[in-house]
Amino acid sequence: IDMYPHGLIATGGNDHNICIFSLESPAPLYILKGHKNTGEYNALSIIEIIHLTGLYYSSFHTGHEDCVRGLAILSETEFLSCANDASIRRWQITGECLEVYYGHTNYIYSISVFPNCKDFVTTAEDRSLRIWKHGECAQTIRLPAQSIWCCCVLDNGDIVVGASDGIIRVFTESEDRTASTEEIKAFEKELSQATIDSKTGDLGDINAEQLPGREHLNEPGTREGQTRLIRDGEKVEAYQWSVSEGRWIKIGDVVGSSGANQQTSGKVLYEGKEFDYVFSIDVNEGGPSYKLPYNISDDPWLTAYNFLQKNDLNPMFLDQVAKFIIDNTKGQMLGLGNTSFSDPFTGGGRYVPGSANMGTTMAGVDPFTGNSAYRSAASKTVNIYFPKKEAVTFDQANPTQILGKLKELNGTAPEEKKLTEDDLILLEKILSLICNSSSEKPTAQQLQILWKAINWPEDIVFPALDILRLSIKHPNVNDNFCNEKEGAQFSSHLISLLNPKGKPANQLLALRTFCNCFVGQAGQKLMMSQRESLMSHAIELKSGSNKNIHIALATLTLNYSVCFHKDHNIEGKAQCLSVISTVLEVVQDLEATFRLLVALGTLISDDLNAVQLAKSLGVDSQIKKYASVSEPAKVSECCRLILNLL
């Protein structure tokens, strides 16, 4: 500090380095190397700079394994950081990490310290505000919003939080400032009516059939914030224990608890990292269960080996663990990897995990004669990429933001196209039942209003298209819009939005709606009948630079490939192969490339005529360059499998 009276600046970036600067020179004084690449930023990742005993510190990645979101001063010599890796870390200003705290199950967005400069609060993507005392999570407060963006501790100890539902809430320990009984009841009612997606992983693995009934709430909780799930008829409800009140408080209804599968889900966060799968492995009867995280691009034997090493388990289990991984990941590929695409205004799709439980005790296997030695991926190639059997859909959404934008733009709609308050309520209901997987069916009146909304002027129609994109997967909606009587008009309207001179948001959502049409029988039939027109218009969007549109275009081609693989329509395959060849010439995004490769592999699988057609188009020479792609590995692996067929 004496040497640098004006302080120092520490920055962290995507180059694996921490650079320490003085204010007197543009060149770094020294560089700390070795922290991991987040893969998200091309420039320096400086989130905030805080003054700390004459030193300036920015958010940096040392210790953390993902983007650092927030910093908070504890004392003249210590500070805290929080990050996307779901961890909180306590540091000395010398750079030494003193302690790591885990509790949140998703990205931690904000951190703030209490006036005593010891305890602190954090908010995160897991719907919670957490209060930390003496290094432990002392209290968890759930909120009726998915993302709790920011928090601030006031001088009087009150906690202010801002969330994705647009509401600022203040929490206090002071009886004088506590809200009225009516306000507290209103908050608890709002919280109880919230829905919690079981696939987020926030509540652990859920098997609805094995959950106890409401009588389970007669037993008191054992700690603050303890979560308990109960089954009430067909519903699953989540409750949280409040020590101060001595009662269970309902925090929401759990949706999707019948069990997600990996084809309809995405990533799961485990110990601060995102994985395609997180399995539960039971090694000994009655013993503890171990978590095994796995990415599709990983080597199953190396993953199994590292798992056994980390948990100090007998290496005799190597073959069984590797086989378990392979058996439980076959054919489960698309929807993983790079999911950086986002809706035009609802933000990036959230990751939702799937999981499986091995549920068996491992029998003894001779580590020498049981083929238990480590094997590289090259020793056993399993094609988990194609042929793809089911359509790939775009499912992620933020209903609150969609409705908010719809209501905002409704005010600018022409008078004859404006929606009434009753109309908006009907659209809100259809969106709610779709997003909450309700057994309730959309009414004819609701669908009529939806059709009215998607015929808004092009500059304001995109939130209505987003509702359509989600709704079209519902069997009744799919049949209503895609049947023989209405289908031609429906598809014609959406195709008109693919005009290359039109709005990119409309182009994107129209393509995604077409992709989602494939999940229904009527929708699939309509897509097949409109193939030539649709694909010829869709291919016109290839020349743009919007990677989200390229991903949607690749997915549309893939969904057609799935259909043609089933009925071996050589004319349809020819058009798809032509599209793939054309788009591969211009596409830059590797997720779009990967989906085109899976489409290609699906088209030529078990069809020598399609193989010859692909060769005549020169596709084999087009894709050779992807065989050397290192990240994501799925691109090169899929490419090599296709080249083997060609």
Side-chain angles (χ1 to χ4, degrees):
I1 294 173
D2 293 337
M3 187 178 299
Y4 302 104
H6 296 104
L8 298 174
I9 297 174
T11 65
N14 198 39
D15 58 0
H16 298 202
N17 300 331
I18 298 172
C19 298
I20 309 298
F21 297 85
S22 70
L23 298 183
E24 287 75 29
S25 172
L29 295 171
Y30 53 94
I31 299 174
L32 303 178
K33 296 187 176 182
H35 67 290
K36 294 192 177 180
N37 186 341
T38 66
E40 291 187 14
Y41 299 94
N42 295 321
L44 291 179
S45 175
I46 305 176
I47 294 179
E48 65 176 299
I49 297 179
I50 61 174
H51 184 266
L52 189 61
T53 323
L55 295 177
Y56 293 81
Y57 275 85
S58 73
S59 298
F60 51 78
H61 293 281
T62 302
H64 286 291
E65 297 190 14
D66 208 333
C67 174
V68 179
R69 292 281 191 163
L71 299 172
I73 302 170
L74 277 176
S75 68
E76 291 185 349
T77 59
E78 294 181 10
F79 66 98
L80 296 165
S81 64
C82 65
N84 277 6
D85 61 8
S87 77
I88 304 150
R89 295 171 191 253
R90 183 164 63 93
W91 303 85
Q92 281 190 331
I93 59 172
T94 56
E96 180 185 359
C97 183
L98 302 174
E99 203 160 357
V100 181
Y101 311 103
Y102 283 103
H104 286 285
T105 59
N106 215 318
Y107 301 156
I108 304 177
Y109 291 126
S110 182
I111 186 167
S112 185
V113 176
F114 280 103
N116 66 9
C117 293
K118 293 180 181 179
D119 305 324
F120 55 95
V121 299
T122 51
T123 55
E125 180 71 5
D126 59 4
R127 305 174 72 244
S128 75
L129 157 71
R130 298 187 189 234
I131 300 171
W132 301 79
K133 295 185 177 181
H134 310 295
E136 300 286 340
C137 183
Q139 187 176 0
T140 300
I141 300 175
R142 302 279 179 177
L143 276 76
Q146 178 62 49
S147 308
I148 318 301
W149 292 119
C150 54
C151 61
C152 177
V153 178
L154 305 181
D155 291 341
N156 61 7
D158 289 355
I159 304 167
V160 184
V161 297
S164 57
D165 59 0
I167 298 175
I168 297 173
R169 298 176 174 87
V170 183
F171 296 88
T172 184
E173 289 183 323
S174 169
E175 292 184 1
D176 296 335
R177 296 191 295 276
T178 301
S180 66
T181 304
E182 290 75 21
E183 288 174 310
I184 293 174
K185 285 183 177 178
F187 171 76
E188 291 185 0
K189 181 180 179 182
E190 186 181 12
L191 186 62
S192 69
Q193 292 174 344
T195 56
I196 306 171
D197 192 336
S198 65
K199 300 186 289 297
T200 61
D202 294 346
L203 302 173
D205 296 332
I206 299 173
N207 186 334
E209 295 180 358
Q210 296 180 4
L211 291 176
R214 188 166 293 278
E215 67 279 0
H216 197 42
L217 299 178
N218 295 329
E219 303 172 16
T222 57
R223 57 180 172 80
E224 177 66 35
Q226 179 185 356
T227 303
R228 181 166 287 180
L229 302 179
I230 62 107
R231 181 164 48 86
D232 185 9
E234 296 297 316
K235 292 196 306 180
V236 174
E237 298 177 345
Y239 287 80
Q240 180 176 288
W241 178 252
S242 171
V243 171
S244 59
E245 298 184 42
R247 66 186 180 98
W248 292 100
I249 299 174
K250 185 180 178 184
I251 60 173
D253 293 315
V254 182
V255 297
S257 51
S258 58
N261 62 66
Q262 201 64 25
Q263 288 175 331
T264 61
S265 63
K267 297 272 188 174
V268 55
L269 198 71
Y270 176 69
E271 291 186 347
K273 298 180 184 178
E274 288 175 339
F275 293 92
D276 296 331
Y277 297 87
V278 175
F279 298 111
S280 295
I281 305 291
D282 298 324
V283 178
N284 297 306
E285 189 73 43
S289 175
Y290 298 92
K291 294 294 184 183
L292 190 160
Y294 179 73
N295 282 316
I296 286 290
S297 58
D298 293 342
D299 181 326
W301 279 275
L302 183 57
T303 300
Y305 174 80
N306 290 335
F307 166 75
L308 297 174
Q309 287 282 94
K310 176 184 177 181
N311 295 290
D312 197 24
L313 298 173
N314 195 318
M316 72 170 58
F317 295 143
L318 178 64
D319 234 28
Q320 284 182 272
V321 175
K323 185 177 183 302
F324 170 78
I325 293 172
I326 293 171
D327 289 345
N328 284 275
T329 57
K330 282 182 180 177
Q332 311 291 330
M333 189 59 215
L334 281 169
L336 310 177
N338 178 8
T339 52
S340 59
F341 53 84
S342 59
D343 292 334
F345 70 96
T346 58
R350 292 189 180 90
Y351 296 124
V352 286
S355 61
N357 193 314
M358 192 170 184
T360 57
T361 302
M362 296 184 183
V365 177
D366 190 299
F368 302 105
T369 61
N371 294 321
S372 296
Y374 166 73
R375 307 170 190 173
S376 70
S379 67
K380 185 173 182 179
T381 303
V382 179
N383 184 356
I384 57 176
Y385 303 108
F386 60 82
K388 187 72 179 156
K389 301 294 180 65
E390 303 294 336
V392 178
T393 56
F394 293 93
D395 306 331
Q396 307 303 326
N398 186 323
T400 303
Q401 290 190 10
I402 294 175
L403 286 169
K405 199 66 179 178
L406 185 79
K407 292 175 182 178
E408 175 190 331
L409 294 177
N410 187 49
T412 67
E415 285 302 320
E416 68 275 10
K417 300 222 178 241
K418 260 195 175 82
L419 302 177
T420 66
E421 285 299 319
D422 289 340
D423 292 342
L424 291 170
I425 290 173
L426 289 173
L427 286 181
E428 186 172 358
K429 284 183 178 178
I430 192 172
L431 187 58
S432 175
L433 70 89
I434 294 296
C435 292
N436 296 332
S437 303
S438 171
S439 57
E440 184 182 350
K441 297 178 181 178
T443 65
Q445 187 181 12
Q446 289 170 342
L447 297 178
Q448 187 178 2
I449 298 303
L450 179 56
W451 175 252
K452 179 181 178 181
I454 66 173
N455 280 277
W456 269 2
E458 286 192 26
D459 57 334
I460 63 171
V461 73
F462 63 90
L465 291 175
D466 222 2
I467 296 177
L468 175 67
R469 186 256 310 179
L470 295 165
S471 304
I472 201 68
K473 296 181 299 173
H474 191 285
N476 293 77
V477 182
N478 195 285
D479 186 64
N480 180 83
F481 286 121
C482 300
N483 62 50
E484 292 184 6
K485 182 180 178 182
E486 309 291 345
Q489 183 184 8
F490 172 72
S491 61
S492 176
H493 176 61
L494 288 184
I495 288 174
S496 71
L497 297 173
L498 298 182
N499 185 337
K501 296 181 180 179
K503 297 279 186 181
N506 297 343
Q507 297 165 353
L508 175 65
L509 289 169
L511 284 174
R512 290 183 174 181
T513 301
F514 282 130
C515 291
N516 288 358
C517 282
F518 281 87
V519 300
Q521 188 174 356
Q524 189 175 122
K525 187 175 180 180
L526 176 65
M527 292 301 96
M528 296 299 277
S529 69
Q530 298 292 318
R531 170 185 44 91
E532 290 187 26
S533 174
L534 173 53
M535 292 299 279
S536 62
H537 282 84
I539 195 68
E540 294 298 317
L541 301 177
K542 72 180 188 305
S543 56
S545 59
N546 190 318
K547 68 175 184 179
N548 299 327
I549 289 178
H550 285 165
I551 291 171
L553 177 57
T555 307
L556 179 65
T557 309
L558 172 56
N559 286 352
Y560 271 116
S561 301
V562 170
C563 294
F564 294 138
H565 176 71
K566 295 175 182 177
D567 64 10
H568 295 287
N569 181 324
I570 194 62
E571 182 187 348
K573 286 189 175 186
Q575 186 181 24
C576 283
L577 286 169
S578 177
V579 169
I580 291 170
S581 177
T582 304
V583 178
L584 280 173
E585 288 294 323
V586 296
V587 71
Q588 298 292 321
D589 183 79
L590 288 177
E591 179 64 24
T593 300
F594 171 66
R595 296 186 183 209
L596 289 170
L597 290 173
V598 175
L600 173 58
T602 300
L603 287 169
I604 65 176
S605 291
D606 308 317
D607 190 339
L608 292 177
N609 289 330
V611 169
Q612 292 303 318
L613 191 54
K615 284 183 177 181
S616 69
L617 290 169
V619 173
D620 50 344
S621 59
Q622 275 186 298
I623 69 171
K624 281 180 181 177
K625 61 182 179 181
Y626 298 116
S628 58
V629 171
S630 57
E631 291 293 337
K634 62 183 183 181
V635 173
S636 57
E637 290 171 0
C638 187
C639 178
R640 287 193 288 268
L641 287 165
I642 293 171
L643 289 173
N644 288 338
L645 294 178
L646 294 173

